[in-house]
């Protein structure tokens, strides 16, 4: 993804359409769902891509290739304030990849935002800390999603330095 030019998902989708490559269609649509939600914070468009990816998954046996769209749908749901809808999909986000820190980082980040929205600032800090403690390759996307940066500042404000640090360390334990 290039901040200046955007991600060339359109070209990827056009090539996939031209060659009738369902895998390419799903891959590009799924990635666009996640990227427009995180990079552009365009949650409505992210949901639209997630729905399109789901419809593509019904065409054949390729339903397994919808991870990125599911991630985009989760980010979009939280971005739109639909926390319960996001929570209902946590199992699906990780269902085949329980040991992979990528989906886990997404779930931890989304839950941290949901908990903060409910006023559970200690728990939100613990979840965010655990998400930030994942490998770089699994959490790199978080640096591009401004709600995460805002969340950390909000948690520090609500808890104060000492309680924030205590909760942050508890999340890493």
């Amino acid at each position: 993804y290039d901040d200046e030019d955007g991600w060339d998902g359109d070209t990827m989708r056009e090539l996939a359409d031209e060659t009738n490559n369902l895998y390419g269609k799903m891959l590009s649509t799924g990635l666009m769902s996640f990227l427009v939600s995180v990079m552009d914070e365009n949650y409505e468009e992210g949901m639209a891509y997630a729905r399109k990816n789901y419809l593509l998954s019904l065409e054949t046996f390729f339903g397994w290739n919808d991870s990125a769209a599911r991630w985009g749908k989760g980010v979009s749901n939280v971005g739109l304030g639909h926390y319960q809808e996001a929570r209902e999909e946590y199992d699906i986000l990780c269902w085949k990849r329980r040991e992979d820190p990528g989906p886990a980082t997404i779930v931890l980040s989304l839950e941290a935002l949901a908990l903060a929205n409910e006023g559970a600032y200690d728990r939100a800090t613990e979840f965010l800390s655990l998400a930030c403690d994942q490998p770089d390759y699994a959490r790199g996307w978080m640096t591009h999603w401004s709600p995460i940066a805002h969340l950390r500042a909000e948690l520090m404000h609500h808890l104060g330095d000492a309680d924030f640090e205590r909760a942050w360390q508890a999340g890493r334990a």
Side-chain angles (χ1 to χ4, degrees):
Y1 192 87
D2 181 335
D3 287 339
E4 190 172 303
D5 298 327
W7 183 68
D8 200 8
D10 293 327
T11 300
M12 187 177 182
R13 274 195 317 280
E14 288 170 11
L15 289 171
D17 285 339
E18 189 176 301
T19 60
N20 198 27
N21 182 320
L22 183 59
Y23 181 78
K25 291 177 188 179
M26 289 189 65
L27 179 62
S28 62
T29 304
L31 288 173
M32 287 301 291
S33 174
F34 185 64
L35 289 173
V36 301
S37 296
V38 171
M39 302 298 287
D40 300 336
E41 296 181 39
N42 187 338
Y43 307 120
E44 296 292 341
E45 187 175 357
M47 289 297 275
Y49 278 119
R51 282 189 293 275
K52 183 175 181 182
N53 182 275
Y54 172 74
L55 292 174
L56 287 168
S57 76
L58 299 176
E59 288 189 21
T60 66
F61 62 92
F62 283 112
W64 56 269
N65 185 30
D66 56 359
S67 294
R70 290 179 188 270
W71 298 352
K73 183 178 179 185
V75 170
S76 293
N77 270 325
V78 167
L80 292 168
H82 304 156
Y83 300 103
Q84 189 56 40
E85 288 90 338
R87 284 175 164 154
E88 290 169 5
E89 304 241 348
Y90 288 170
D91 283 346
I92 295 168
L93 290 171
C94 298
W95 73 284
K96 283 189 177 179
R97 302 170 66 181
R98 297 258 185 230
E99 303 302 319
D100 184 346
T105 301
I106 292 169
V107 170
L108 290 166
S109 298
L110 299 180
E111 185 61 16
L113 287 158
L115 288 166
N117 182 66
E118 296 168 351
Y121 302 118
D122 285 322
R123 294 288 295 156
T125 302
E126 292 172 8
F127 273 74
L128 183 60
S129 173
L130 186 54
C132 290
D133 200 33
Q134 300 305 307
D136 289 344
Y137 71 87
R139 64 180 164 83
W141 68 274
M142 293 169 58
T143 63
H144 297 283
W145 195 31
S146 63
I148 295 295
H150 297 303
L151 175 62
R152 186 175 175 129
E154 175 188 347
L155 294 171
M156 290 177 87
H157 170 76
H158 284 287
L159 295 175
D161 292 341
D163 287 341
F164 175 83
E165 185 60 30
R166 181 196 43 76
W168 190 266
Q169 292 308 316
R172 292 186 168 203

